[in-house]
Amino acid sequence: MAKQFKKIGVLTSGGDAPGMNAAIRSVVRTALSHGVETMGIYYGYSGLIRGDIHPLGVRDVSNMMNHGGTVLYSDRCPEFKTEEGMQKAIATCRAFGIDGIVTLGGDGTFRGATDLSVRGISCVGIPCTIDNDITSTEYTIGFDTATNTTIQLIDYLRDTCESHSRCNVVEVMGRNAGDIAAYAAVASGATAVVLPEVPFSEEALMEKIRTSRRLGKHNFIVVVSEGMGSDFAPALSQKITKATGVESRFARFAHVVRGGSPTLRDRLLGTRMGAFAVEQLLEDKSNIVVCEQGNQLVSMDIGYALVLDRMYKGKLKDGDLAPFTEEQIASMQAHCERKRALIASLAASVDRIGL
Ligand code: ADP
Ligand code: F6P
């Protein structure tokens, strides 16, 4: 018989992302509309282990959709990866009467959700990370805001670059994924983008800058993904000055783009995914992650989503594909190809149009 939910939990884990608060609000109010109470689990899995848990009523989630960060706070909790930590977390769920949890975070958070699911606590994941590096969804909550902030900051840099006829090499976050770099480079009219997914020719970049300068271009913006390594962008900036004669400065935006008021897209995605996650949970679905595909929300088994992710990142482990049919593997491969093609096309557009 389907589980009857009376009380669910919601937690945020891993790196925070603008739009998480919209999702929390939506979880709480959607659950209430079904007569289900929501408990806020503070500090991610750490709070689940130590019982830092408090009820969230309709007014507790007012006036927060417009704020970045997460009102539930976040944490990285190594103890949760141990069997002892996991057992403590399960005991807390039982003590608080929590039947299911909506977990907001990235792939690490979903691995934790799987571990809980297989031990009887229903879990539904919502992909929240500015990196957009959850392959199963076209967009993660937080990516749009972070990328818009990145564009705005690049616009500021361009003003001063233009006045001084300089180049600015900008390193942006994204961990090993070049999504923020690629989208921001296109949307800010950058001269070049350097990201782990696409080959880069230093000599072609130098030649492009020399030629454009000869043809009268004043400012140059080169966007580099942090996945290239922390020494790459500062070194590239120095090389540009030396090889082209165009004075270059280096800027690292770092965590600043992880904050700020969420954009329309992130508020909408947070609200939609929060509601969808609760409805899936109440339909007794578990061990799934909510994904946006072609503007539709769908749910995907977390195991499938994590393997798809490893396939895209070239990190498949022995036996990863064993549980899946040939059709499923072909579908995963096609999915990865589409994502690779999208990122490559954005980088190609920068090369062609960023003149
Ligand atoms: P993200 O969710 O953004 O990928 P992390 O990788 O830091 O962030 O993961 C968030 C938390 O999820 C970790 O601190 C840990 O508590 C939990 N977690 C991560 N990996 C696992 C795992 N393999 N098994 C169980 N829990 C995990
Ligand atoms: O995953 C989000 C992210 O901001 C990455 O872009 C970055 O590499 C990392 O988290 C930074 O982590 P921390 O907040 O632990 O410094």
Side-chain angles (χ1 to χ4, degrees):
M1 207 180 82
K3 211 159 149 179
Q4 292 300 308
F5 288 83
K6 290 200 182 68
K7 211 186 265 180
I8 62 168
V10 58
L11 63 80
T12 53
S13 158
D16 66 336
M20 276 181 157
N21 288 331
I24 296 165
R25 171 179 176 271
S26 178
V27 165
V28 170
R29 293 192 176 167
T30 304
L32 266 180
S33 75
H34 291 278
V36 173
E37 188 187 352
T38 303
M39 304 298 283
I41 301 164
Y42 288 75
Y43 299 96
Y45 292 126
S46 303
L48 188 59
I49 287 176
R50 62 171 185 263
D52 193 348
I53 298 175
H54 308 275
L56 291 176
V58 65
R59 292 271 72 78
D60 296 317
V61 292
S62 296
N63 306 322
M64 63 185 228
M65 178 142 70
N66 51 326
H67 294 294
T70 160
V71 296
L72 291 177
Y73 300 92
S74 192
D75 196 16
R76 294 196 159 104
C77 174
E79 190 188 354
F80 189 70
K81 295 186 192 177
T82 66
E83 188 54 38
E84 203 190 337
M86 182 65 52
Q87 288 309 327
K88 284 190 202 164
I90 289 165
T92 314
C93 290
R94 307 266 184 254
F96 281 83
I98 293 173
D99 311 305
I101 304 181
V102 179
T103 57
L104 280 63
D107 54 351
T109 303
F110 301 151
R111 272 192 286 275
T114 291
D115 290 351
L116 276 174
S117 298
V118 298
R119 289 167 177 81
I121 308 294
S122 301
C123 285
V124 177
I126 298 184
C128 297
T129 161
I130 61 165
D131 302 337
N132 207 36
D133 63 347
I134 311 279
T135 311
S136 52
T137 185
E138 280 161 18
Y139 289 104
T140 56
I141 293 171
F143 169 67
D144 190 65
T145 306
T147 310
N148 274 292
T149 305
T150 302
I151 293 165
Q152 193 179 0
L153 295 177
I154 292 175
D155 288 347
Y156 294 163
L157 278 180
R158 190 185 287 282
D159 289 346
T160 164
C161 273
E162 176 72 11
S163 306
H164 289 265
S165 300
R166 278 180 183 154
C167 173
N168 222 305
V169 176
V170 181
E171 186 200 275
V172 299
M173 271 195 169
R175 212 180 282 274
N176 297 312
D179 293 47
I180 296 179
Y183 281 73
V186 170
S188 63
T191 297
V193 61
V194 191
L195 49 159
E197 295 91 334
V198 178
F200 162 68
S201 160
E202 202 172 286
E203 191 36 52
L205 171 62
M206 302 305 173
E207 191 48 37
K208 188 178 190 186
I209 292 177
R210 283 192 289 261
T211 306
S212 297
R213 172 52 58 90
R214 249 197 328 274
L215 295 174
K217 185 171 171 64
H218 280 266
N219 71 72
F220 298 90
I221 300 287
V222 176
V223 182
V224 176
S225 164
E226 73 165 340
M228 297 303 294
S230 60
D231 296 335
F232 184 92
L236 182 64
S237 180
Q238 287 181 357
K239 286 184 197 166
I240 289 172
T241 304
K242 226 166 141 190
T244 67
V246 175
E247 193 183 7
S248 181
R249 293 280 191 270
F250 163 67
R252 175 173 284 140
F253 291 167
H255 295 78
V256 77
V257 305
R258 221 161 82 180
S261 183
T263 56
L264 163 70
R265 180 168 240 293
D266 281 331
R267 293 181 197 202
L268 213 58
L269 197 58
T271 303
R272 290 173 68 216
M273 284 189 164
F276 190 80
V278 170
E279 273 150 15
Q280 295 286 297
L281 202 54
L282 300 188
E283 280 172 25
D284 210 7
K285 308 256 177 61
S286 180
N287 202 18
I288 53 170
V289 55
V290 178
C291 303
E292 190 189 50
Q293 288 177 4
N295 214 22
Q296 298 290 313
L297 295 187
V298 296
S299 60
M300 202 179 269
D301 177 75
I302 291 183
Y304 183 100
L306 290 174
V307 169
L308 174 65
D309 215 43
R310 287 204 284 277
M311 180 185 275
Y312 179 71
K313 292 167 185 164
K315 290 185 178 165
L316 278 178
K317 293 188 274 194
D318 283 350
D320 263 356
L321 296 176
F324 302 107
T325 62
E326 274 179 28
E327 285 78 10
Q328 284 175 314
I329 295 168
S331 165
M332 285 182 190
Q333 285 163 340
H335 190 119
C336 294
E337 273 319 304
R338 281 196 299 277
K339 174 142 181 160
R340 281 193 200 103
L342 174 62
I343 298 291
S345 78
L346 294 173
S349 156
V350 173
D351 275 346
R352 212 175 310 115
I353 297 174
L355 297 172

